[in-house]
Amino acid sequence: MNDFTLGVVSSMAATALTVAVGWVLSARARDWAVAVLSHYSGLGVRKLYRQQRRAADELATDLARARWVCVLTGRGNELTRDAFAPIWSGAVRPLDAVKVLLPDPRPGSWLVRREESLRRFDRGLRPGMLLEQVRNNAEYVREAAQHMDVVELRFYDMPNLYRIILTDEVAYITLYDETEHGRNSPCLVARPPGLLYGLALRIFTGAWESSGSARTSPANSDLGG
């Protein structure tokens, strides 16, 4: 290898290394900037994920050490995935409460309008499919509740512009994009004390208090109950 080729290769390697280091440092810098801004503003934000799905590993860790869990979501698919598996299997320490809020899957509910919005960009979503998915996820939670006294499921019928997963230590807040699935929408991680954690808790509490029980809601007739 002559000096010219060696120089080109060395230059390319140095450039690649610089870019890689810069990428790592920029990610750390972003997290640092978010933490500093959160500290001085009182927001309590610890991290920002550009896509909800990238928060899955951290969410699983936080769920595994939670004392209680509250979930308000627009579809509920995550309830059947790996992050929640230790909760349903009893592999984590005993929980004080698991409260789940899913959208009411009755015809004419807000969920129908949400499905119409999603179908504008998701051609694979046939009419009624979103309602079926929510019913299936609700059945999954109802089955888990048969074996766990602390699990309670309710339904809400209102526009949901976010997903909230709360524990006693953290809040995961996904801000739904109108033209994206929740997994591709940005997700904030907030911890108490902080304004965003408190806001998420108040939103969930308000929705929970105004929701219908899985045992008494008219949606129950669509769930085979």
Side-chain angles (χ1 to χ4, degrees):
M1 183 178 296
N2 58 40
D3 292 342
F4 174 77
T5 302
L6 181 61
V8 170
V9 172
S10 299
S11 179
M12 291 176 63
T15 300
L17 181 60
T18 300
V19 170
V21 171
W23 183 86
V24 172
L25 291 179
S26 65
R28 291 179 179 175
R30 286 195 299 270
D31 289 344
W32 178 83
V34 168
V36 170
L37 176 63
S38 175
H39 174 75
Y40 286 104
S41 67
L43 290 175
V45 178
R46 292 296 179 267
K47 190 170 291 187
L48 170 62
Y49 289 96
R50 292 185 178 180
Q51 295 177 316
Q52 172 187 285
R53 56 190 173 88
R54 299 184 181 278
D57 290 342
E58 185 177 353
L59 173 62
T61 299
D62 285 325
L63 289 176
R65 60 191 182 202
R67 290 189 301 171
W68 52 262
V69 177
C70 295
V71 181
L72 186 158
T73 185
R75 189 178 311 206
N77 287 341
E78 65 271 16
L79 295 168
T80 68
R81 293 174 179 157
D82 291 346
F84 278 84
I87 291 178
W88 309 131
S89 67
V92 297
R93 69 181 185 181
L95 292 164
D96 296 334
V98 179
K99 296 181 177 181
V100 178
L101 274 170
L102 288 174
D104 194 330
R106 291 177 300 177
S109 67
W110 168 84
L111 189 62
V112 176
R113 296 190 290 276
R114 171 59 174 167
E115 181 181 75
E116 292 172 352
S117 177
L118 288 174
R119 290 185 64 234
R120 295 192 186 104
F121 67 90
D122 188 346
R123 299 296 179 86
L125 195 66
R126 61 172 172 78
M129 182 178 290
L130 184 58
L131 276 68
E132 289 179 9
Q133 290 177 344
V134 171
R135 290 177 185 136
N136 289 336
N137 291 331
E139 276 296 330
Y140 188 95
V141 176
R142 284 160 60 90
E143 180 61 27
Q146 299 297 318
H147 309 281
M148 299 175 65
D149 294 338
V150 298
V151 177
E152 188 174 357
L153 169 67
R154 293 187 182 183
F155 298 98
Y156 66 87
D157 184 15
M158 63 180 184
N160 180 20
L161 307 178
Y162 34 74
R163 185 200 74 171
I164 295 175
I165 298 179
L166 278 163
T167 77
D168 50 297
E169 295 183 346
V170 67
Y172 286 78
I173 308 166
T174 298
L175 308 176
Y176 288 151
D177 189 318
E178 186 178 0
T179 61
E180 285 282 1
H181 287 293
R183 62 182 177 272
N184 296 324
S185 298
C187 179
L188 292 166
V189 181
R191 297 186 182 274
L195 294 174
L196 276 179
Y197 179 90
L199 176 61
L201 184 58
R202 290 196 300 273
I203 290 174
F204 181 89
T205 301
W208 183 262
E209 292 175 349
S210 63
S211 62
S213 169
R215 296 182 179 179
T216 59
S217 169
N220 194 42
S221 61
D222 291 332
L223 294 170

